[in-house]
Amino acid sequence: MPLTATPTAPAFVTVLVRGLLAGLVAGLLAGVFAYAVGEPHVEAAIAIEETAHAEPAAGGHDHEDALVGRDVQRGGLFLATGLFGAAMGGLLATAYVLLARRRRAYDDGRSGLPLAGAALLGAVVVPFLKYPANPPAVGDPATINQRTVTYLLMVVLGLVAVWAGSLGYRAVDAGAPSGLRAAAAVGGFLLVTVVSYVVMPSFQEVPADFPATLLWDFRLASLGTQVVLWTGTGLLFAALMQHRHRRATAAAPAG
């Protein structure tokens, strides 16, 4: 990818800026989704946690207040999703540039969509199926470091699984039936995913009396937030790149 833009190949900075912008907007949209869909479940889980830790009226000290109030946490939600989205958009743009040589021709950004889909599958869906998100009041504080490390490792393994699927697809001759190449891709992806699920430890820390409906509503809202973020990032990035391509092509001299 050249440092200076051309009608057929934009400069890296051009691609990066569009990735950051797409991720920022998608992150804010994901924040809106999380606020509208996820916050009610967070409030319900916090109420359960506070009830479980409440002291009887005549039983001594009061329960300590949270260091950060809920109003500040709600406002910080949009800041967090916006910054996270911008970071993911930057990574998407970088991957788009690094994989440019694998594309037969400049595709005006459309390959950003499958890249975003691959990131959603490997970095979100695969880890979610092994370690789904838990609301407040679920999880042992003593294992938080172990759970964080294993989740991050699962993200890496999910991306490796996507890469293995890509290798499987390319390993089959280009002249072979498309179904055979797809089967090789699925096989490579599932092989790494299944082995990862078997090898990685499991954590069963959900209290027996925790409402199952609330648990899964929260988990689905958490997954939905990521789907909104990555789908929005892919669509916006592709649209921004296509807009740039049309302008650059129109401004290029004929012949």
Side-chain angles (χ1 to χ4, degrees):
M1 189 68 69
L3 294 178
T4 57
T6 68
T8 56
F12 170 68
V13 174
T14 299
V15 179
L16 180 62
V17 169
R18 282 161 174 74
L20 292 172
L21 179 59
L24 175 61
V25 175
L28 293 175
L29 291 175
V32 172
F33 179 91
Y35 183 85
V37 179
E39 271 297 308
H41 307 311
V42 173
E43 290 288 350
I46 290 175
I48 293 176
E49 183 179 31
E50 290 177 345
T51 300
H53 291 87
E55 294 289 338
H61 67 276
D62 295 331
H63 184 62
E64 293 183 358
D65 294 334
L67 294 177
V68 180
R70 287 294 296 148
D71 290 339
V72 176
Q73 291 177 8
R74 293 188 189 96
L77 171 66
F78 296 96
L79 177 62
T81 56
L83 292 177
F84 179 76
M88 295 303 100
L91 291 177
L92 176 66
T94 302
Y96 177 84
V97 171
L98 293 176
L99 296 175
R101 293 182 179 180
R102 295 188 179 276
R103 298 193 292 271
R104 295 180 179 178
Y106 178 57
D107 63 1
D108 69 9
R110 282 174 290 185
S111 64
L113 287 172
L115 278 177
L120 174 63
L121 177 62
V124 177
V125 176
V126 171
F128 175 85
L129 294 178
K130 177 66 176 179
Y131 302 122
N134 287 327
V138 174
D140 183 0
T143 64
I144 187 170
N145 291 333
Q146 183 183 3
R147 286 185 283 120
T148 300
V149 171
T150 53
Y151 180 83
L152 292 177
L153 181 57
M154 197 67 236
V155 171
V156 174
L157 292 174
L159 294 174
V160 171
V162 172
W163 175 70
S166 176
L167 287 181
Y169 183 84
R170 295 199 303 269
V172 179
D173 187 82
S178 59
L180 181 60
R181 303 190 78 187
V186 173
F189 171 78
L190 289 179
L191 176 63
V192 176
T193 301
V194 171
V195 171
S196 300
Y197 283 0
V198 172
V199 172
M200 296 295 287
S202 297
F203 301 95
Q204 303 296 334
E205 299 181 348
V206 179
D209 59 347
F210 194 87
T213 300
L214 175 59
L215 176 66
W216 283 104
D217 285 346
F218 175 87
R219 288 176 172 177
L220 291 177
S222 176
L223 179 61
T225 300
Q226 292 290 334
V227 170
V228 171
L229 188 149
W230 282 106
T231 302
T233 300
L235 290 172
L236 290 170
F237 177 75
L240 290 171
M241 292 300 295
Q242 288 173 11
H243 177 68
R244 181 265 163 200
H245 180 69
R246 287 193 297 267
R247 291 184 57 187
T249 302

